[in-house]
Amino acid sequence: MAATTRGSPGEARRTGLSPKPKGRENAKDTLCRNVSIYGYCRYEDKGCAFNHDPIKAHTPSTQAESLKRRLNVESPSFTPSLLATNGTGPGIKTTAISPKAANAAPFKPKGPTSGTATPPVHHDSSVSDWAAPEAPEFLPHIFEPLQMQEDASGGIVPAAQYDPFIAPSSSLNSNHNVAQAQNNPYTAESGVSGGSAYYQAQSNYVQPLQYHLYAPLGPHRENLLPYQRTANDFFISDNLREELQRKSAATLQTLPNSTLPSQVDYFHSLVPLDVSNQRNASIFGYPSWIYKAVSSKDGNTYALRRLEGYRLTNEKAIRAIQTWRRVNSSSIVAVHDAFTSRNFGDSSLIFVTDYHPVSRTLAEHHFGSGARHAGRPAGTHVVEQVLWSYVIQLASALKTIHASGLAARVVDPTKILVTEKNRIRLNACGIMDVVQYDTQRTLAELQRDDLLQFGQLILGIGTMNPNLIHNMPKAMEHFARAYGSQLRDSVFWLIGLAAPDQPRGIEMFVNGISSHIITAFDNTLHLNDQFNTELNRELENSRIMRLLIKLNFINERPEHEHDRQWSENGERYFLKLFRDYVFHQVDAQGLPVTDLAHVLTCLNKLDAGIEEKVTLVSRDEQSCFVVSYRELKRGLESAFQELTKSTRRVQ
């Protein structure tokens, strides 16, 4: 099982004194090895000739002075000024205060100058000069919650509030100096006025995400051996972690003191997501607004698109949304439900879709923020590989829609979401089928119109000017100069400029770009491999997490089945010592050892249950156990099974 050695005071007495070294006249200047290893020497008062003061041994002046003297009989007895206590750390150095200190003047610290004066300290003659004055009570700043007010046009705008990323002016006078804006590192695009995120961040103060807690520091070593690992190898990458944290924070975002309805059908906790409060009815014929809300049925977060002022005249119109619920594509924002509501004070039509946090529209991503991005000058062209990625994803979405006997009817940059890097999804599907239910247009005509809007969208992004499509010859000239012949021919075919007499369909278009689809599919497989690698790192963390949970269930347990010594007996005692070995080690100076590599190595060995042995020493240093990790793992599983059996027996 385990080799055990125990010591007792009787054995120490029988052992006798430590043998004195012969021929070493400067032994008093040499630090005792017992102090270096254990922190103290049990033979210090029994004749040990070595030095037991680590501070004196490491002081250059003391060493130089001690070399001039020789140890003789008339030397004064050595009294250490720093005593080690049980090997746990250096003791407290006691010094006496001179009687003259009672007449010393009170200490006045000199701090850095600031705009606020330091409150004076009043000296009380009845109090001793060494009594500390009372410090002023700390009063934290109180951040007022976000107050929403209604402007003249009826829109909802945030009132004046505290912004943690606006630096206050150095002096507050009657002129109310305007504070200088600082860069907000937690926004997707800092410095853009009005907010460019499709799902904008809440304007009231929230605690910033602690990204720096796991950030790698210092230079990265590239010359590691195959069996060596760094701490970053056990965690997901920084960029992916920060992106997931941003999405989680946006999903849990709330709006206190909101003027929005508290309940809309079975949804609550509404938060507006529009980046502008301007009313725009150019797409659907009705002003539309979008909100984030939580469902009372399943607790998930959804996006609600509201058409203001819509009156339902035909019950069959709203049933058309049931067909869109069966459409399943990774390039389409899924549609879940549609209903009418009067909770906003008017007759509104609500569409329920999936919620993708921290997303933006394709128009905001390439043309900047604004309602219709009119008059924006052309900028740097989009990379052709990115444009091919857009073409393939939109073609996949339209292929699924047309195969279901439907038409998208809205392929507009303001209704396409960019959820991740170069990852787009077609949004606002099915809305036109409800709004224009009575419009008599054939399905083939609507699908051909989808291809036309598709080509105009790619042409507008390629020329970086969506209004240039109204001047088709100039737009084609700009597009042909910037991109290859295959992409140019594909866009011209969608618009109808190439082979206008031939029948056109999404199937023919997909067959024509099959070579680029294979390239995009290969890139997707590479991304999938990268995500599997990140998932494998978290798999290692989950193993260690389960191991720590079991250890904490067992260690220091007050009692089990009326046995208060249960955690201190048998194999459970080894687990307690192993916990001290992993987390409570100290170095030669008595300082705590906080080595992540040591912790991860020991826990992984325990989880694997290898045959490697480890030496465990009790806290009083009177007991020493040599056990293997296999024995520790067996004891851990046995103790945990004993706890779970008791729980099942009670149930």
Side-chain angles (χ1 to χ4, degrees):
M1 169 67 183
T4 307
T5 61
R6 296 183 178 271
S8 62
E11 294 178 357
R13 288 192 298 267
R14 291 192 299 268
T15 306
L17 301 179
S18 175
K20 297 182 179 180
K22 298 180 180 180
R24 302 184 62 177
E25 299 179 355
N26 60 341
K28 200 63 179 179
D29 302 326
T30 304
L31 183 64
C32 183
R33 295 186 61 184
N34 291 332
V35 177
S36 302
I37 299 175
Y38 304 106
Y40 78 103
C41 178
R42 67 172 64 183
Y43 305 106
E44 177 180 356
D45 299 331
K46 300 180 181 180
C48 182
F50 293 96
N51 183 18
H52 299 86
D53 187 359
I55 297 180
K56 182 178 179 181
H58 295 294
T59 304
S61 60
T62 306
Q63 294 178 358
E65 183 181 356
S66 61
L67 291 176
K68 301 178 182 179
R69 298 182 298 177
R70 296 293 182 178
L71 181 64
N72 51 59
V73 181
E74 298 179 356
S75 298
S77 59
F78 172 71
T79 303
S81 61
L82 187 64
L83 299 179
T85 59
N86 200 16
T88 59
I92 302 174
K93 186 175 181 180
T94 60
T95 57
I97 301 178
S98 175
K100 298 181 180 180
N103 300 325
F107 174 70
K108 296 181 180 179
K110 296 181 179 180
T113 59
S114 59
T116 59
T118 305
V121 179
H122 300 283
H123 181 72
D124 190 0
S125 59
S126 61
V127 184
S128 174
D129 293 336
W130 295 97
E134 295 183 358
E137 182 181 2
F138 172 71
L139 298 176
H141 295 284
I142 300 177
F143 303 120
E144 296 294 336
L146 179 63
Q147 302 291 336
M148 304 299 293
Q149 63 184 9
E150 189 172 347
D151 59 357
S153 61
I156 298 175
V157 296
Q161 56 194 330
Y162 171 78
D163 191 350
F165 300 105
I166 300 298
S169 57
S170 58
S171 61
L172 301 177
N173 49 25
S174 58
N175 296 331
H176 299 283
N177 296 332
V178 180
Q180 183 180 3
Q182 292 184 353
N183 187 23
N184 183 355
Y186 297 100
T187 56
E189 288 186 3
S190 57
V192 180
S193 61
S196 60
Y198 183 74
Y199 295 98
Q200 66 177 10
Q202 179 141 348
S203 12
N204 66 322
Y205 175 73
V206 293
Q207 181 68 23
L209 297 177
Q210 304 297 328
Y211 295 142
H212 62 280
L213 292 181
Y214 302 99
L217 302 177
H220 302 283
R221 295 182 55 188
E222 300 295 341
N223 56 343
L224 297 178
L225 298 178
Y227 60 87
Q228 293 178 331
R229 295 291 183 271
T230 62
N232 297 325
D233 295 333
F234 294 92
F235 306 99
I236 62 176
S237 61
D238 298 333
N239 295 333
L240 180 58
R241 185 189 66 252
E242 292 183 9
E243 181 181 358
L244 295 178
Q245 287 177 336
R246 289 176 188 271
K247 292 183 178 181
S248 177
T251 304
L252 300 177
Q253 196 175 37
T254 58
L255 185 63
N257 301 327
S258 173
T259 58
L260 296 174
S262 59
Q263 190 84 12
V264 178
D265 204 76
Y266 55 93
F267 294 94
H268 61 88
S269 303
L270 272 69
V271 176
L273 301 177
D274 294 282
V275 298
S276 175
N277 58 356
Q278 299 179 0
R279 300 162 63 91
N280 183 15
S282 60
I283 301 296
F284 307 112
Y286 297 90
S288 64
W289 311 94
I290 188 166
Y291 308 93
K292 174 181 73 74
V294 180
S295 172
S296 301
K297 294 182 177 180
D298 54 12
N300 296 328
T301 304
Y302 295 92
L304 305 183
R305 181 175 292 275
R306 169 198 171 204
L307 298 186
E308 181 182 348
Y310 175 82
R311 293 185 178 275
L312 185 64
T313 58
N314 192 343
E315 292 291 340
K316 296 182 180 180
I318 203 169
R319 298 177 185 174
I321 208 66
Q322 300 298 326
T323 308
W324 283 96
R325 296 180 61 180
R326 296 190 291 268
V327 177
N328 185 15
S329 175
S330 59
S331 299
I332 300 176
V333 179
V335 181
H336 296 280
D337 196 5
F339 56 88
T340 58
S341 174
R342 292 186 177 273
N343 295 98
F344 293 93
D346 61 353
S347 179
S348 300
L349 179 61
I350 308 296
F351 291 89
V352 183
T353 61
D354 279 342
Y355 170 61
H356 297 277
V358 199
S359 301
R360 296 187 297 170
T361 63
L362 201 60
E364 294 167 351
H365 184 66
H366 290 290
F367 307 128
S369 60
R372 295 298 297 165
H373 46 264
R376 181 178 177 87
T380 307
H381 290 287
V382 181
V383 181
E384 183 172 352
Q385 184 179 2
V386 176
L387 209 56
W388 270 117
S389 175
Y390 292 166
V391 170
I392 294 171
Q393 293 178 72
L394 291 177
S396 173
L398 293 179
K399 182 178 182 299
T400 303
I401 293 174
H402 292 183
S404 302
L406 300 170
R409 307 184 67 172
V410 177
V411 187
D412 191 84
T414 61
K415 298 300 178 287
I416 298 177
L417 296 185
V418 181
T419 57
E420 297 173 4
K421 182 180 180 181
N422 301 334
R423 182 71 170 91
I424 62 176
R425 300 174 191 266
L426 186 61
N427 195 16
C429 295
I431 297 180
M432 300 300 295
D433 292 347
V434 179
V435 176
Q436 299 180 1
Y437 180 78
D438 298 329
T439 304
Q440 299 297 329
R441 296 184 64 183
T442 62
L443 179 62
E445 183 181 357
L446 294 176
Q447 291 181 353
R448 286 196 300 268
D449 188 63
D450 287 347
L451 298 181
L452 177 61
Q453 295 184 40
F454 184 13
Q456 292 176 349
L457 172 67
I458 301 301
L459 186 62
I461 297 177
T463 57
M464 291 301 296
N465 191 348
N467 297 323
L468 197 61
I469 60 176
H470 301 294
N471 188 355
M472 195 59 65
K474 186 176 181 181
M476 291 187 299
E477 180 184 356
H478 283 225
F479 195 87
R481 288 200 306 262
Y483 300 102
S485 59
Q486 188 173 3
L487 180 59
R488 178 196 61 196
D489 296 341
S490 300
V491 173
F492 291 170
W493 186 89
L494 290 172
I495 297 176
L497 300 179
D501 298 335
Q502 295 181 359
R504 294 182 300 127
I506 192 61
E507 294 285 351
M508 299 176 59
F509 180 76
V510 170
N511 294 333
I513 62 172
S514 57
S515 60
H516 292 277
I517 294 178
I518 296 299
T519 303
F521 180 71
D522 182 67
N523 295 333
T524 303
L525 294 180
H526 284 299
L527 182 61
N528 183 61
D529 294 339
Q530 180 181 353
F531 284 157
N532 285 335
T533 303
E534 302 290 349
L535 182 61
N536 184 54
R537 296 178 179 179
E538 292 302 307
L539 174 66
E540 301 299 323
N541 292 344
S542 63
R543 290 193 303 104
I544 296 178
M545 182 64 185
R546 288 193 297 268
L547 194 63
L548 289 174
I549 291 175
K550 291 181 180 180
L551 281 173
N552 284 277
F553 275 137
I554 300 169
N555 287 331
E556 306 290 349
R557 195 170 192 87
E559 65 174 354
H560 176 61
E561 294 184 348
H562 307 289
D563 184 7
R564 296 189 176 183
Q565 298 297 324
W566 179 81
S567 61
E568 302 288 337
N569 295 329
E571 297 175 338
R572 280 89 62 185
Y573 185 63
F574 296 159
L575 299 176
K576 176 183 177 181
L577 299 184
F578 178 76
R579 189 268 312 271
D580 294 342
Y581 171 76
V582 175
F583 297 101
H584 298 165
Q585 284 198 7
V586 295
D587 56 11
Q589 285 73 32
L591 301 177
V593 176
T594 56
D595 187 2
L596 180 60
H598 169 71
V599 174
L600 294 176
T601 301
C602 294
L603 293 179
N604 279 302
K605 290 179 180 180
L606 176 61
D607 185 64
I610 63 178
E611 294 292 345
E612 180 181 342
K613 296 184 180 298
V614 58
T615 303
L616 305 177
V617 182
S618 62
R619 294 184 177 181
D620 57 1
E621 299 185 355
Q622 299 299 318
S623 302
C624 179
F625 303 92
V626 180
V627 296
S628 64
Y629 283 99
R630 179 182 295 274
E631 294 170 342
L632 289 173
K633 183 178 181 180
R634 184 169 61 246
L636 175 65
E637 296 297 336
S638 175
F640 184 73
Q641 290 296 329
E642 186 176 349
L643 293 176
T644 55
K645 286 180 181 179
S646 302
T647 305
R648 289 194 297 265
R649 186 167 56 251
V650 172
Q651 294 177 351

